[in-house]
Amino acid sequence: MKLAADDDMPVLDQEAFRPIDRARLFAEDDFSHAPRILMLYGSLRQRSYSRLLTAEAARLLKAYGADVRIFDPHGLPLVGSEADDHPKVQELRNLSIWSEAQVWCSPERHGAMSSVMKTQIDWLPLSSGAVRPTQGRVLALMQVCGGSQSFNTVNQLRILGRWMRMVTIPNQSSVPKAFTEFDEAGRMKPSAYYRRVVDVMEELMKFTLLLRGRSDYLTERYSERVETAAELSKRVNQRAL
């Protein structure tokens, strides 16, 4: 694309700079399959409230017409303790690649997300060969609290979602005193907190339907057209600067 003389930008790579492609931006949705949503929760306890909240949200997503998979973190090793070909790691990564959207739900511990939640996210690299397990996926965030309501964990997860180049929806859910919000059968009681969960799942489905088929284009970058992944890796990993 050639610019007028008055608008000349000599440092701009003219080959990599591209005008907005409206055909790709407004591409038709692929209705051949239900929206694919992966759900992660952050506790291994037998009565895990993050798991119960995830299961409640999964019911809603299925009612909205989604194809839902919930990853069981039991048996997932700590990052670095096993090779990438560990079966649980491969299961998690394959589910992430399969997904078009994700839900992350963690308990808040010591003012932060749980180690179980962080381990799952740490096993999802930004890139794995030519495949990007998270880029362009829509993301919804939830947390459960043992005491009063807090937003520390969803705020941290939002930072991670941005780092993983995911499209994180504006709404989010934080359930305080979670032990009071579920009955003996593990179902969420009627409350404003339940209504917020419905809001979040509804918004997630809307964003997922709106963006699928064009997420790759939305997360495509000028800088990556200028500099290949190999060149970038070589530059940022220089031993002496």
Side-chain angles (χ1 to χ4, degrees):
M1 177 181 179
K2 297 297 183 182
L3 300 173
D6 290 346
D7 297 321
D8 184 42
M9 290 176 282
V11 297
L12 185 70
D13 187 317
Q14 296 288 347
E15 295 299 322
F17 181 80
R18 297 173 186 170
I20 300 300
D21 188 338
R22 290 178 175 268
R24 292 184 66 187
L25 186 61
F26 299 107
E28 290 189 9
D29 188 12
D30 178 6
F31 291 103
S32 63
H33 65 273
R36 300 189 291 255
I37 300 180
L38 169 62
M39 309 189 78
L40 308 180
Y41 61 92
S43 172
L44 302 178
R45 296 172 57 190
Q46 183 174 2
R47 187 172 171 83
S48 163
Y49 291 106
S50 63
R51 177 175 55 79
L52 294 179
L53 183 58
T54 296
E56 203 69 60
R59 295 183 186 99
L60 291 165
L61 290 171
K62 290 175 183 177
Y64 281 122
D67 182 359
V68 180
R69 310 282 174 87
I70 300 176
F71 177 73
D72 180 356
H74 285 85
L76 183 69
L78 292 174
V79 176
S81 67
E82 297 283 352
D84 292 359
D85 60 0
H86 187 282
K88 288 297 290 189
V89 175
Q90 288 300 304
E91 177 189 354
L92 176 59
R93 291 187 177 183
N94 288 337
L95 283 171
S96 184
I97 293 168
W98 165 85
S99 70
E100 294 169 313
Q102 297 185 17
V103 178
W104 296 352
C105 180
S106 175
E108 182 162 313
R109 291 182 178 162
H110 304 296
M113 76 186 75
S114 69
S115 59
V116 175
M117 189 77 241
K118 187 60 163 60
T119 295
Q120 293 174 84
I121 296 170
D122 284 347
W123 274 120
L124 294 175
L126 178 60
S127 63
S128 180
V131 178
R132 289 174 172 165
T134 56
Q135 178 170 314
R137 273 71 176 175
V138 182
L139 176 64
L141 305 172
M142 303 192 296
Q143 74 170 81
V144 293
C145 310
S148 58
Q149 191 173 43
S150 168
F151 298 92
N152 289 331
T153 294
V154 288
N155 288 338
Q156 291 174 336
L157 291 171
R158 191 170 292 276
I159 291 171
L160 285 172
R162 183 171 69 245
W163 183 261
M164 302 302 286
R165 295 170 68 172
M166 304 176 79
V167 181
T168 309
I169 67 171
N171 215 339
Q172 60 190 22
S173 170
S174 174
V175 180
K177 296 182 179 178
F179 60 92
T180 67
E181 296 300 323
F182 294 85
D183 61 24
E184 290 300 317
R187 298 301 304 271
M188 199 169 184
K189 300 175 183 177
S191 69
Y193 302 119
Y194 177 78
R195 293 194 292 273
R196 173 57 67 88
V197 174
V198 180
D199 287 348
V200 174
M201 294 306 109
E202 179 183 11
E203 187 170 294
L204 175 66
M205 282 294 292
K206 289 176 180 177
F207 271 78
T208 302
L209 290 169
L210 183 65
L211 298 183
R212 72 173 184 167
R214 54 189 66 90
S215 289
D216 287 345
Y217 179 61
L218 288 168
T219 53
E220 182 183 287
R221 294 182 175 183
Y222 161 79
S223 60
E224 292 174 348
R225 294 194 294 270
V226 173
E227 186 175 29
T228 67
E231 291 169 339
L232 176 61
S233 179
K234 182 179 179 180
R235 175 170 60 81
V236 301
N237 289 299
Q238 294 180 42
R239 295 182 180 274
L241 296 176

